[in-house]
């Protein structure tokens, strides 16, 4: 027994002094660890400084019910319970009972409040007992951050986010994803925590070992006003035509800066939200909007000019055993090349391109490649779609490939790539890369700026550009887009209607189309270019580009034109748009009539309703965007200053 006792003493001394450091490190690793504190991601702003995405701090407040001395605990328990009762609405007795129970059970991690904002956090940490801090009062504060978009679902896919799933896989769409790692993420901090059993860890102190450093702020090119206009114009048309999905992009001509980008997809219940970034990621057959590229190629290669006469027959012509048809019954007969584009004649463009390039199709393809139409734009946003231009030797290539390409089949482009080309026409031949970011800032300090990137200094001769500009203007004045014409401001562009999924067996019974319109405005000295693409509209209601997508383009151009004057001419101030005047008169009459009673704001644009109600002294909370569809206070109700009203828009 004596020898056994000596062995035990020897082992204890060995563990304590010889192997002590090793076991102390193991114990510390198992009971104390440094926990990462994620840094706040930088904010994302519009070009005008409006907040588009921000990281909002959220707090969980817990209490170590064991750490405070008995006297201190008893003196502060009831005042603490009273304060918590006022905060949450639960009875004071409930908190007294639960906190006593936590102390009896030696609960060192009892939850008092979860996911609260900063102001509530400051309020709670000043409650009795908790105001004594971590050691005397048992206060435990855990901070997390949540990404929020003040504009809701508007442009959500383009603004983007960084999200990790339970397996550590990351999803990074949009601007937030593209620039998150380099600028927005920041540097994480560290905090020391101690294991307290049941797999729970509590902070050892109420300060951080290493303070997190917030990320930089990004200032985008997005204009909140134009984005709101584009989003609602697209949404209204998608809902009316019950389309599957659609997108719209508005770009500043001179710089390539994206002022608005909206992507809306249809859910099973018929509503729309930003499912995917179609404008950036979806390659598809462009249809008749590609006729502009095809005709420009022939014009620049001097194989045709605007006055060249082309015979479109009686609306049907056979090319290599396959019939091509025009939308007009009976056809257009013999017309000029310029007129063929204006009326969007499939036969006219197919004839021009086939006669010009059938013996040397590589010449046509090389012209397209010189415009970078075979390459992605190289956007920083992940998931950019790849253009496809087939060549001789490919399995899909045949003698009919060129005629088909002339009116937008047998190739694929993304909406943003098509818009970039139209923007170059508006920019007198200078092709600029679409950009989403203006600058990176740290508070008021400028970290980096992003200037425009020129892809091609001159896509073609001045003669070709001027002639194409005139033709695109005439498309709206007297061509397929004449329903969009207005004498109050000028537009130029091209309609597009393409069959989609025509290779599927059920196409004859269930026809599907892609309707589009690409162009710019004003037609003289263009300020903005725009593309609208709507997939699979209800053919019972319509499917032609001029009917489905064209009105969205017009609505955007009209609203931007009236809200943001873009032609510095005195006479434009005299131009009155009937719809805008009527809307303003209605708003003014309401503002003058209702001073102390609640008006009816249903049917007003959300921005007008906000201005009207806030000027009356009301506090306004709102949901959605667009037109107001409901209000929480009834019309005619007597209102008080600082009273809260909730309005919902759609």
């Amino acid at each position: 027994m004596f020898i056994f006792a000596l062995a035990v003493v020897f082992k204890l001394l060995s563990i304590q002094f010889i192997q002590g450091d090793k076991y102390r490190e193991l114990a510390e690793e198992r009971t104390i660890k440094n926990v990462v504190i994620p840094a706040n991601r930088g904010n994302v702003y519009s070009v005008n400084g409006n907040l588009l995405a921000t990281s909002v701090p959220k707090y969980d407040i817990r209490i170590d019910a064991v750490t405070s001395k008995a006297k201190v605990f008893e003196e502060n328990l009831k005042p603490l319970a009273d304060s918590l009762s006022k905060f949450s609405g639960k009875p004071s007795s409930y908190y007294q009972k639960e906190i006593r129970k936590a102390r009896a059970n030696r609960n060192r991690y009892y939850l008092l409040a979860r996911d609260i904002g900063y102001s509530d956090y400051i309020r709670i940490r000043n409650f009795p007992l908790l105001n004594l801090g971590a050691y005397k009062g048992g206060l435990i504060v855990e901070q997390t951050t949540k990404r929020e978009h003040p504009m809701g679902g508007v442009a959500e896919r383009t603004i983007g986010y960084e999200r990790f799933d339970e397996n550590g896989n990351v999803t990074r769409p949009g601007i937030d994803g593209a620039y998150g790692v380099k600028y927005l993420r920041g540097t994480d901090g560290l905090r020391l925590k101690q294991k307290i059993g049941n797999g729970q860890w509590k902070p050892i102190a109420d300060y951080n070992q290493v303070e997190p450093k917030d990320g930089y702020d990004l200032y985008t090119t997005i204009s909140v006003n134009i984005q709101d206009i584009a989003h609602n114009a697209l949404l209204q048309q998608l809902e009316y035509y019950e389309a599957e999905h659609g997108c719209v992009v508005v770009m500043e001509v001179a710089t390539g800066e994206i002022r608005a980008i909206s992507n809306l997809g249809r859910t099973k219940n018929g509503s729309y939200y930003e499912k995917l970034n179609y404008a950036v990621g979806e390659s598809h057959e462009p249809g008749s909007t590609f006729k502009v590229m095809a005709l420009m190629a022939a014009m620049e290669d001097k194989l045709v000019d605007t006055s060249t006469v082309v015979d479109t027959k009686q609306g049907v012509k056979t090319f290599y055993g396959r019939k091509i048809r025009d939308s007009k019954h009976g056809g257009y007969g013999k017309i000029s090349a310029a007129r063929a584009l204006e009326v969007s004649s499939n036969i006219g463009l197919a004839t021009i391109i086939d006669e010009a390039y059938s013996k040397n199709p590589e010449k046509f393809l090389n012209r397209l490649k010189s415009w970078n139409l075979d390459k992605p734009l190289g956007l920083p946003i992940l998931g950019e779609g790849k253009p496809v231009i087939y060549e001789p030797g490919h399995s899909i290539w045949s003698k009919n490939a060129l005629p088909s390409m002339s009116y937008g089949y047998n190739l694929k482009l993304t909406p943003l790539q098509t818009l970039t080309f139209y923007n170059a026409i508006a920019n007198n031949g200078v092709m600029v890369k679409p950009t989403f970011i203006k600058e990176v800032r740290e508070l008021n300090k400028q970290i980096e700026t992003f200037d425009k990137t020129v892809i091609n200094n001159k896509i073609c001769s001045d003669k070709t550009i001027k002639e194409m500009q005139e033709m695109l203007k005439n498309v709206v004045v007297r061509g397929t887009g004449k329903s969009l014409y207005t004498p109050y401001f000028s537009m130029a562009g091209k309609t597009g209607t393409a069959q989609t999924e025509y290779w599927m067996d059920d196409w004859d019974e269930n026809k599907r189309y892609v309707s589009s319109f690409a162009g710019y405005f004003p037609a003289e000295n263009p300020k903005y270019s725009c593309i609208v693409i709507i997939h699979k509209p209800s053919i019972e209601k319509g499917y032609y580009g001029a009917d489905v997508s064209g009105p969205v383009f017009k609505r955007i151009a009209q609203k931007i034109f009236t809200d943001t004057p873009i032609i510095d001419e005195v006479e434009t101030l005299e131009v009155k748009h009937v719809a805008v005047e009527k809307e303003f008169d209605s708003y003014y009459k309401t503002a003058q009539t209702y001073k102390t009673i609640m008006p009816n704001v249903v049917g007003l644009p959300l921005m007008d309703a906000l201005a009207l109600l806030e000027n009356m002294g009301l506090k306004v909370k709102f949901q959605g965007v667009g037109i107001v569809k409901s209000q929480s206070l009834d019309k005619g109700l007597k209102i008080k200053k600082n009273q809260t009203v909730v309005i919902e828009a759609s």
Side-chain angles (χ1 to χ4, degrees), residues 189-358:
L190 294 174
R191 191 172 196 182
L192 210 59
K193 285 192 174 184
Q194 182 179 28
K195 192 171 185 179
I196 56 175
N198 295 326
Q200 296 178 332
W201 297 76
K202 77 162 191 173
I204 291 178
D206 58 358
Y207 58 86
N208 301 325
Q209 299 294 106
V210 178
E211 291 295 332
K213 182 182 178 182
D214 292 346
Y216 296 130
D217 295 333
L218 290 181
Y219 283 77
T220 71
T221 61
I222 300 292
S223 165
V224 170
N225 184 43
I226 297 177
Q227 179 68 45
D228 184 60
I229 292 168
H231 175 88
N232 286 288
L234 177 65
L235 177 61
Q236 180 179 336
Q237 204 74 344
L238 288 173
E239 289 178 336
Y240 176 77
Y241 281 96
E242 301 173 9
E244 182 188 85
H245 67 272
C247 66
V248 57
V249 185
V250 180
M251 181 192 295
E252 191 173 81
V253 169
T255 63
E257 293 179 358
I258 301 298
R259 290 287 177 253
I261 177 170
S262 184
N263 302 275
L264 296 173
R266 194 167 189 255
T267 63
K268 291 181 179 179
N269 62 12
S271 61
Y272 291 87
Y273 78 105
E274 294 243 344
K275 294 172 70 174
L276 296 169
N277 198 333
Y278 304 110
V280 171
E282 186 174 42
S283 295
H284 63 91
E285 292 178 315
S288 295
T289 54
F290 189 79
K291 290 174 182 174
V292 170
M293 292 82 149
L295 184 56
M296 276 185 66
M299 290 168 62
E300 188 63 12
D301 288 337
K302 296 182 172 54
L303 299 173
V304 70
D305 61 35
T306 56
S307 61
T308 300
V309 176
V310 55
D311 189 359
T312 65
K313 306 295 182 182
Q314 294 181 327
V316 182
K317 185 177 179 179
T318 301
F319 289 78
Y320 308 106
R322 186 171 67 91
K323 291 181 179 180
I324 293 178
R325 290 178 168 81
D326 279 339
S327 58
K328 181 183 178 183
H329 182 71
Y332 300 98
K334 293 181 179 181
I335 54 176
S336 68
R339 185 61 181 163
L341 184 71
E342 291 170 14
V343 298
S344 198
S345 169
N346 294 338
I347 296 172
L349 268 295
T351 300
I352 290 170
I353 298 304
D354 186 60
E355 291 179 355
Y357 295 104
S358 60

Side-chain angles (χ1 to χ4, degrees), residues 561-634:
F561 186 88
T562 53
D563 285 3
T564 312
I566 50 183
I567 302 180
D568 298 325
E569 296 179 6
V570 175
E571 59 265 30
T572 62
L573 299 177
E574 301 299 323
V575 174
K576 292 185 178 181
H577 189 273
V578 176
V580 175
E581 287 288 311
K582 185 177 179 181
E583 183 179 299
F584 177 78
D585 288 342
S586 174
Y587 168 81
Y588 182 79
K589 183 178 179 181
T590 303
Q592 296 302 309
T593 304
Y594 298 95
K595 299 291 186 182
T596 59
I597 59 174
M598 182 65 190
N600 179 22
V601 295
V602 174
L604 283 179
L606 178 60
M607 291 182 180
D608 290 348
L610 286 172
L612 175 65
L613 297 176
E614 287 177 349
N615 285 333
M616 294 173 65
L618 290 167
K619 291 184 177 179
V620 185
K621 293 182 178 180
F622 64 93
Q623 298 175 342
V625 293
I627 304 300
V628 177
K629 66 177 184 180
S630 67
Q631 58 189 64
S632 63
L633 299 179
D634 294 333

Side-chain angles (χ1 to χ4, degrees), residues 16-34:
Q16 183 71 22
F17 297 107
I18 299 174
Q19 297 176 299
D21 291 340
K22 172 187 173 183
Y23 287 113
R24 273 189 289 272
E25 286 178 11
L26 284 173
E28 192 168 298
E29 283 179 12
R30 294 185 179 185
T31 59
I32 297 175
K33 69 176 179 180
N34 266 317

Side-chain angles (χ1 to χ4, degrees), residues 7 13 165 185 275 323 329 449:
L13 292 173
D165 64 16
R185 181 180 289 177
K275 294 172 70 174
K323 291 181 179 180
H329 182 71
T449 59

Side-chain angles (χ1 to χ4, degrees), residues 127-148:
F127 285 175
L129 190 60
L130 300 180
N131 60 5
L132 300 178
Y135 296 112
K136 294 183 179 180
L139 173 66
I140 300 172
V141 179
E142 293 187 322
Q143 177 182 335
T144 57
T145 57
K146 289 190 175 181
R147 201 67 169 166
E148 292 190 358

